[in-house]
Amino acid sequence: MVQTSHAPPPHPHQALVLKSAICSRLLVLTLIILCRILVSPYDTSAPLNPPCLTTPNDTHSPLRQSRIASAIENGIVWDSVYFVRIAQCGYEYEQSYAFLPLLPISISFFSRTVFAMLLPFVPQRTLFALSAYVINNLAFVLAALYLYRLSITILKDPEIALRATILFCFNPASIFYSSIYSESLYALLSLGGLYHFVSGGNNLAILLLALSGCARSNGVLNAGYFCFQTMHRAYHALFQRKRVTAALQIVIVGALRSACIFAPFLAFQAYGYYNMCVGRFPDEIRPWCKARIPLLYNYIQSHYWGVGFLRYFQLKQLPNFLLASPILSLALCSVVHYAKSRPQNFFSLGFQTTIEEKNCGVVFLSDDVSGSKEAGSVEKSSVRVEENFKLRRRKNVIKGDDANVPIESEPATRPGYLSASILPFVLHLGFMTGTAFLVMHVQVFLLHAMHIGLALDF
């Protein structure tokens, strides 16, 4: 009888990842409920719900609001007030344009479809909050699965991928992913887009990464991955293949793909300009409308939230810097470690990567691999490289040629954090670290860096 060997599953820990993500959300939601019951909230804006300026509020309300409905509405605090208000009334005030439309649109859609049957029993605002909780917690679970798959694809190590995903599920900023914030949707779309990008599914990757720019403004930075890929492909076509036409075609395609990722965010800025600037009397026109580049988002962040270069460097903000110092330190050490371990690859932006690495399934540098349409092409190429390495090692051992027996760290594609395919993620993390420290509210970096850093396995 011939015994057939079964290959190990491509994602051996996926069931464990799913269970961990669900358990982490149940734990966080339980802690939220307990805190609401036992501790008086610092922010008291939850009960505030003035009538809409343009469209009438839903006047339907049950005679007596249940405790569950009240508990759900009490979670509408801080930025959640803006998201629910936009879903209910649209963009009424200038500062509300700081909150991008994907989450409010999703909330409105879910409340009018999936939870429409509950409207006779609970107020509309409660349905908006309930929809947001369901959307964000479901998005987080899917984001964890995408992070695990992306980590396997990049790091080539299921154990490290599992460790990174578990840390993501129980990260210090975990509460924001289960509250009415846009972080969960952004994590799902950005991680999903990057997974399909490194797996060769460029069209789906563009769609998801473009939508990430509708969830959070820093989603436009994901266009940098396509710029990085285009830069290396064009260089390869122009200087190695000596094909000017092919290089020009690569640049045009890469520019169009990057533009598609920028388009939703820019369209929203145009929408804000039209609503706030067009058709206004001269004394009603806001200062940013007259700027050479009238970018509403930058003005709002600076005017209402005090975001700007070194503007957060105040003595009263020292506790926030201390709060963010662990993740800032980890991010900085991660970037420095990669730069010191692979200085040629880091400082040359990958152009001095060895030929062997470029031709062994590194999707950002290899034109052949990145052009593949199979979703699992990267994992398969890595397996082939490892098998060739082991076969060559066995042959040299059999021949007794100890001098030519390769050591364990010799494979052309270095697995784990020091592989060449990690470079664009390291650059992204380094840029976000510097921006968070010098420009942003530094504690917000906990949210933006978490899924990037954990994918690299801090």
Side-chain angles (χ1 to χ4, degrees):
M1 181 180 293
V2 179
Q3 295 182 349
T4 58
S5 59
H6 297 280
H11 309 295
H13 302 299
Q14 187 163 275
L16 179 57
V17 168
L18 180 61
K19 292 178 182 178
S20 300
I22 294 174
C23 290
S24 70
R25 294 312 91 198
L26 293 176
L27 175 61
V28 170
L29 289 173
T30 302
L31 292 175
I32 291 175
I33 294 173
L34 289 176
C35 288
R36 291 293 177 192
I37 294 174
L38 300 176
V39 181
S40 299
Y42 178 78
D43 182 46
T44 58
S45 57
L48 301 179
N49 186 30
C52 297
L53 297 180
T54 55
T55 58
N57 282 33
D58 185 8
T59 56
H60 169 76
S61 180
L63 295 177
R64 184 178 180 182
Q65 188 169 344
S66 66
R67 290 186 176 182
I68 297 177
S70 299
I72 293 174
E73 279 202 39
N74 287 337
I76 306 176
V77 293
W78 299 108
D79 290 357
S80 304
V81 175
Y82 288 95
F83 285 116
V84 173
R85 180 73 180 184
I86 294 168
Q88 185 176 9
C89 305
Y91 286 90
E92 301 175 303
Y93 305 101
E94 184 178 66
Q95 62 266 34
S96 65
Y97 285 89
F99 302 89
L100 273 70
L102 185 60
L103 180 58
I105 290 174
S106 302
I107 292 172
S108 180
F109 175 78
F110 262 65
S111 64
R112 288 174 169 83
T113 55
V114 178
F115 297 111
M117 64 184 70
L118 299 178
L119 187 58
F121 308 102
V122 295
Q124 187 187 51
R125 193 165 185 255
T126 302
L127 280 186
F128 285 140
L130 178 61
S131 300
Y133 280 119
V134 172
I135 290 169
N136 284 343
N137 285 277
L138 179 61
F140 179 88
V141 173
L142 296 175
L145 292 173
Y146 266 129
L147 174 61
Y148 175 67
R149 291 190 172 197
L150 176 63
S151 300
I152 287 182
T153 305
I154 298 295
L155 302 175
K156 319 297 184 192
D157 190 328
E159 299 302 325
I160 296 180
L162 175 63
R163 186 194 315 160
T165 309
I166 296 298
L167 289 173
F168 173 70
C169 290
F170 297 94
N171 72 77
S174 193
I175 187 173
F176 292 99
Y177 292 91
S178 287
S179 303
I180 309 176
Y181 279 64
S182 58
E183 274 70 20
S184 286
L185 272 180
Y186 174 74
L188 169 61
L189 295 169
S190 59
L191 292 172
L194 292 176
Y195 169 74
H196 290 290
F197 172 61
V198 301
S199 301
N202 284 332
N203 292 334
L204 183 55
I206 292 171
L207 175 62
L208 294 177
L209 294 179
L211 288 175
S212 74
C214 292
R216 295 196 67 87
S217 60
N218 52 307
V220 299
L221 295 178
N222 291 320
Y225 291 94
F226 280 98
C227 294
F228 185 89
Q229 184 187 69
T230 299
M231 179 175 63
H232 283 276
R233 285 185 177 184
Y235 177 86
H236 180 71
L238 183 61
F239 294 102
Q240 297 184 10
R241 294 185 178 180
K242 308 297 182 181
R243 297 173 59 184
V244 178
T245 304
L248 181 61
Q249 182 181 4
I250 290 170
V251 171
I252 293 174
V253 171
L256 291 175
R257 288 172 173 172
S258 300
C260 288
I261 297 175
F262 272 92
F265 177 77
L266 295 178
F268 181 68
Q269 299 308 301
Y271 171 75
Y273 179 85
Y274 177 81
N275 286 342
M276 302 301 299
C277 300
V278 177
R280 301 275 180 170
F281 292 106
D283 57 338
E284 296 178 341
I285 295 179
R286 302 290 292 158
W288 66 271
C289 295
K290 303 176 183 179
R292 180 174 300 179
I293 302 178
L295 195 59
L296 173 57
Y297 186 82
N298 283 358
Y299 174 79
I300 293 173
Q301 290 291 335
S302 175
H303 183 72
Y304 292 98
W305 276 273
V307 174
F309 183 67
L310 299 182
R311 291 181 64 177
Y312 213 59
F313 279 67
Q314 304 175 29
L315 185 61
K316 65 180 180 180
Q317 300 299 346
L318 181 59
N320 285 324
F321 277 94
L322 295 176
L323 176 66
S325 60
I327 195 69
L328 279 171
S329 301
L330 287 171
L332 180 61
C333 291
S334 180
V335 175
V336 170
H337 173 66
Y338 188 92
K340 292 178 68 175
S341 301
R342 302 206 61 180
Q344 284 188 329
N345 189 49
F346 181 82
F347 292 106
S348 69
L349 299 180
F351 285 107
Q352 294 186 16
T353 303
T354 62
I355 299 298
E356 291 81 2
E357 251 185 321
K358 290 184 178 181
N359 294 327
C360 288
V362 182
V363 70
F364 300 103
L365 308 181
S366 173
D367 190 33
D368 296 331
V369 175
S370 54
S372 174
K373 296 183 179 180
E374 297 182 7
S377 59
V378 179
E379 291 98 331
K380 293 177 182 178
S381 61
S382 176
V383 171
R384 288 196 298 269
V385 172
E386 188 68 21
E387 289 177 349
N388 292 336
F389 164 72
K390 291 180 179 179
L391 179 61
R392 180 159 53 92
R393 193 172 189 274
R394 285 197 300 268
K395 287 181 178 180
N396 287 332
V397 171
I398 293 173
K399 292 179 181 179
D401 190 0
D402 296 334
N404 291 325
V405 174
I407 60 175
E408 292 297 328
S409 60
E410 192 179 325
T413 52
R414 302 173 70 173
Y417 182 70
L418 297 180
S419 67
S421 55
I422 287 291
L423 178 58
F425 293 90
V426 174
L427 296 175
H428 188 182
L429 181 62
F431 178 83
M432 288 300 298
T433 303
T435 303
F437 185 72
L438 299 174
V439 179
M440 295 167 50
H441 290 186
V442 69
Q443 71 273 17
V444 179
F445 182 66
L446 283 169
L447 305 173
H448 299 320
M450 191 62 63
H451 62 274
I452 300 173
L454 290 174
L456 302 182
D457 189 42
F458 279 117

